[in-house]
C-alpha cells in the first residue's frame, strides 16, 4: 500500500535529517491514512485563499464521497515514481511535485463542478492556477496514472479529455481553435505523450501511444502510435514500442 511506503520513507527522511521532524509530523505522521494526508497537503498549499481548517473539512467531505479521487492520486504517484528518475520515492512525489498536487486539487474541483456548484469549482480552479501555475478547467475529464512532468504553464480546456497513463510536459496547451462551439477541445487517448510547449487545438484526437513533439502545433487528428512534429504538426515516424523512461522518449522525439 502506498501509505505504508510513504510512512517508511518519512521515517527514513527524519533519520537522515532530524531538522525536518516537525514538518514531517505535520504532513505525514499527523494523519491515519493517505486520503487525509492528501487533503491536508492540499489545504496547506491553498490556505492563502481560505482558512486552512475550512479547506481541510471541505476537501475531506469531497474525498470521502468520492474515494476514486484518492485511488487516482495513488495511481498518479505510483506512475511518477516508476517513470521519473528525478523522483526518488512516493513521499517526494506527494510533497514536492506540483503536477501531483495540482491534478489532485483539480479532481476535487471536478467533483464540485459535477455536483452543480459551478461557482465554487471555478473559484478553486483559480486558486489552483495561482498556486501551481497549472490551469485545468474543472469540467475537463482526466483519467488516472497521469504523468504531469514539471507542469508549469499547463492549460487544459473545458471539454478536453485526457485518458489514463497519458504523459504531459510543461507549457502544454489543450485548447480550442476559437472556430468551434460546444465540444471544442482535444481528446488525448491512453498512453499518449505530449512534449514541452506543444499546443493541441480543437476537438481532435491524439491516438493511443502517440507522441506530440515539443513546440508542435497540432490541428489535425493524430493516429495511434504516430509521432508528429512541427507547426503545423505532421507525421514524422512511429512511436517506439518501449523505452527506458519517458524522459528518454521525449529527448529522442
Amino acid at each position: 500500500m502506498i501509505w505504508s511506503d510513504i510512512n517508511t520513507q518519512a521515517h527514513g527522511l527524519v533519520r537522515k535529517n532530524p531538522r525536518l521532524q516537525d514538518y514531517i509530523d505535520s504532513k505525514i505522521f499527523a494523519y491515519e491514512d493517505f486520503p487525509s494526508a492528501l487533503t491536508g497537503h492540499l489545504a496547506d498549499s491553498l490556505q492563502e485563499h481560505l482558512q486552512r481548517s475550512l479547506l481541510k473539512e471541505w476537501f475531506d467531505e469531497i474525498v470521502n464521497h468520492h474515494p476514486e479521487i484518492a485511488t487516482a492520486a495513488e495511481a498518479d504517484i505510483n506512475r511518477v515514481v516508476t517513470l521519473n528518475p528525478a523522483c526518488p520515492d512516493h513521499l517526494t512525489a506527494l510533497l514536492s511535485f506540483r503536477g501531483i498536487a495540482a491534478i489532485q486539487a483539480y479532481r476535487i474541483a471536478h467533483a464540485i463542478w459535477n455536483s452543480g456548484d459551478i461557482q465554487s469549482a471555478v473559484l478553486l480552479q483559480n486558486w489552483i492556477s495561482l498556486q501551481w501555475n497549472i490551469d485545468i478547467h474543472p469540467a475537463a475529464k482526466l483519467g488516472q496514472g497521469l504523468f504531469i512532468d514539471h507542469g508549469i504553464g499547463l492549460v487544459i480546456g473545458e471539454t478536453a479529455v485526457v485518458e489514463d497513463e497519458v504523459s504531459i510536459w510543461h507549457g502544454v496547451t489543450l485548447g480550442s481553435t476559437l472556430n468551434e462551439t460546444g465540444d471544442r477541445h482535444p481528446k488525448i487517448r491512453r498512453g499518449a505523450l505530449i512534449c514541452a510547449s506543444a499546443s493541441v487545438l480543437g476537438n481532435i484526437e491524439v491516438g493511443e501511444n502517440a507522441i506530440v513533439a515539443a513546440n508542435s502545433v497540432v490541428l489535425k487528428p493524430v493516429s495511434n502510435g504516430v509521432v508528429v512534429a512541427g507547426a503545423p504538426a505532421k507525421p514524422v515516424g512511429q512511436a517506439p514500442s518501449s523505452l527506458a523512461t519517458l524522459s528518454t522518449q521525449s529527448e529522442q522525439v
Side-chain angles (χ1 to χ4, degrees):
M1 292 291 292
I2 192 173
W3 185 234
S4 176
D5 290 338
I6 287 173
N7 272 270
T8 299
Q9 293 155 9
H11 282 293
L13 175 58
V14 170
R15 283 195 298 271
K16 286 181 286 187
N17 189 352
R19 299 174 189 85
L20 295 177
Q21 179 73 61
D22 289 346
Y23 174 75
I24 294 300
D25 282 347
S26 68
K27 288 289 190 178
I28 304 300
F29 300 145
Y31 302 107
E32 296 183 356
D33 54 32
F34 175 72
S36 187
L38 176 65
T39 57
H41 178 54
L42 298 179
D44 289 342
S45 300
L46 297 171
Q47 63 182 317
E48 171 186 347
H49 306 286
L50 185 66
Q51 184 179 333
R52 195 260 184 204
S53 61
L54 295 176
L55 281 169
K56 182 70 166 73
E57 179 183 0
W58 187 21
F59 293 170
D60 279 340
E61 180 180 342
I62 294 164
V63 172
N64 287 338
H65 279 87
H66 297 274
E68 67 274 12
I69 293 174
T71 299
E74 291 193 27
D76 294 344
I77 289 173
N78 282 328
R79 192 157 188 264
V80 168
V81 172
T82 299
L83 295 178
N84 190 352
C87 183
D89 55 28
H90 303 83
L91 177 69
T92 304
L94 173 63
L95 298 183
S96 302
F97 276 55
R98 74 172 60 222
I100 292 292
I103 291 296
Q104 311 327 313
Y106 144 80
R107 297 189 198 284
I108 291 174
H110 183 66
I112 295 169
W113 176 278
N114 287 340
S115 76
D117 187 355
I118 305 303
Q119 291 170 308
S120 295
V122 174
L123 188 62
L124 181 54
Q125 174 197 0
N126 178 256
W127 296 348
I128 295 166
S129 178
L130 291 172
Q131 177 65 29
W132 291 294
N133 198 18
I134 294 173
D135 192 3
I136 305 173
H137 195 285
K141 297 177 181 178
L142 274 59
Q144 62 181 25
L146 302 180
F147 182 17
I148 308 301
D149 197 24
H150 304 295
I152 299 170
L154 171 63
V155 176
I156 299 179
E158 178 183 7
T159 60
V161 174
V162 178
E163 293 186 346
D164 295 349
E165 298 183 1
V166 166
S167 300
I168 301 178
W169 265 237
H170 51 284
V172 165
T173 298
L174 305 182
S176 72
T177 62
L178 302 181
N179 293 322
E180 299 171 288
T181 59
D183 193 355
R184 61 197 184 279
H185 295 102
K187 312 298 180 275
I188 313 300
R189 300 307 181 193
R190 186 184 186 99
L193 167 60
I194 315 296
C195 295
S197 298
S199 295
V200 185
L201 305 178
N203 184 13
I204 58 175
E205 287 196 7
V206 174
E208 292 188 6
N209 302 310
I211 300 176
V212 175
N215 296 305
S216 297
V217 178
V218 182
L219 301 173
K220 295 181 179 180
V222 180
S223 299
N224 293 351
V226 169
V227 181
V228 298
K234 298 179 180 178
V236 296
Q238 292 294 125
S241 58
S242 64
L243 288 170
T245 69
L246 288 178
S247 295
T248 303
Q249 188 176 51
S250 66
E251 290 167 3
Q252 293 190 15
V253 171

